[in-house]
Amino acid sequence: MTDLFAALDATWPAFAQQSAGGWLVRQGTGGGKRVSSATVLAPAEAAPGIAAAEATHIALGQEPLFCLRPDDGAADAALAERGYRILDPVQIFTAPATDIAAELPAHLSSFAIWPPLAIIDEIWEQGHIGPARRAVMDRVQGPKVAILGRADDRAAGAVFVAMHEDVAMIHALHVDPAQRRQGLARNLVRAAAAWAVDQRARHLSLAVTAANAPACALYRALGMQVTSHYHYRAR
């Protein structure tokens, strides 16, 4: 399978990035933690290079933030020694796209379109997916789509999906709180999978904080499995 971290980077790209002290430091311009964090670029240099990464973050006007992946034990320990605390452990869920798309979403419950309609932007705004995060979507170079979800004859949810190689990655899934627990999130994921299959994706994937128990339960119920994980460290 395609590197899921490469798929995350390609489908939710930073504004800019540069190397510093064995780290890849991203400039997020308000697009979220993932695009504003540093990840290990050269494992042997990362632990002694933390200060250089910190200085680069500060020069970019960002608080130092580091994203640690499963093989980054030495860098993780070095950050802990410097007083960085763990922030937002994240799980990556993945499933064969055809498996999720095998059951179609309810009739007229979802519509795929790009660029997003104004109503989709309004739904995302409600979910604190503001202009800076939507600018991240605009930067994506590969196939991408916004999916509008409907419930009770009204627009009530939206999701962004983008392709990297054989992986379709889900981002920015939001459902109106008044319409939750009625199957709309499930419909949006299935609609995302149907679009992914049309794009010849083999895998459907997404990242979600481990603390978001309802979302994790939904993805497991759909047959998705945790295939990797990461966490952040911040002061």
Side-chain angles (χ1 to χ4, degrees):
M1 182 168 51
T2 299
D3 181 347
L4 293 175
F5 293 108
L8 281 170
D9 285 345
T11 60
W12 198 259
F15 177 77
Q17 56 191 28
Q18 57 186 291
S19 60
W23 296 86
L24 184 66
V25 182
R26 295 169 181 79
Q27 182 178 7
T29 61
K33 288 195 292 294
R34 189 184 306 118
V35 291
S36 306
S37 66
T39 50
V40 172
L41 190 61
E45 302 172 19
I50 290 172
E54 289 172 332
T56 302
H57 269 302
I58 292 167
L60 292 171
Q62 303 179 159
E63 289 294 322
L65 179 67
F66 295 85
C67 178
L68 289 309
R69 299 169 178 182
D71 295 332
D72 297 337
D76 195 25
L79 286 162
E81 289 178 3
R82 294 174 73 97
Y84 279 81
R85 62 186 176 87
I86 290 178
L87 180 68
D88 290 345
V90 174
Q91 296 178 332
I92 301 177
F93 282 84
T94 309
T98 52
D99 287 2
I100 306 299
E103 182 179 331
L104 295 176
H107 183 58
L108 297 180
S109 67
S110 61
F111 302 88
I113 189 169
W114 191 265
L117 300 171
I119 186 61
I120 295 177
D121 287 340
E122 291 175 14
I123 290 168
W124 276 330
E125 194 73 37
Q126 179 192 51
H128 306 292
I129 303 162
R133 291 176 183 260
R134 299 199 297 274
V136 177
M137 304 176 197
D138 291 337
R139 290 197 291 268
V140 174
Q141 296 299 304
K144 58 188 175 182
V145 73
I147 300 176
L148 173 66
R150 289 176 55 83
D152 295 332
D153 294 323
R154 61 182 292 267
V159 66
F160 174 71
V161 196
M163 285 288 301
H164 175 67
E165 297 184 1
D166 64 350
V167 175
M169 191 69 67
I170 287 177
H171 299 277
L173 194 160
H174 178 71
V175 172
D176 183 336
Q179 297 293 333
R180 290 176 184 171
R181 301 186 183 280
Q182 297 185 45
L184 181 54
R186 181 184 295 266
N187 276 340
L188 284 169
V189 174
R190 293 200 184 282
W195 177 85
V197 170
D198 287 344
Q199 300 298 316
R200 301 184 182 277
R202 294 183 61 199
H203 308 281
L204 184 71
S205 190
L206 57 90
V208 61
T209 57
N212 190 342
C216 292
L218 167 66
Y219 303 136
R220 289 191 177 94
L222 284 165
M224 304 183 80
Q225 297 182 349
V226 175
T227 49
S228 195
H229 59 88
Y230 61 92
H231 61 266
Y232 299 96
R233 281 196 182 267
R235 285 177 174 151

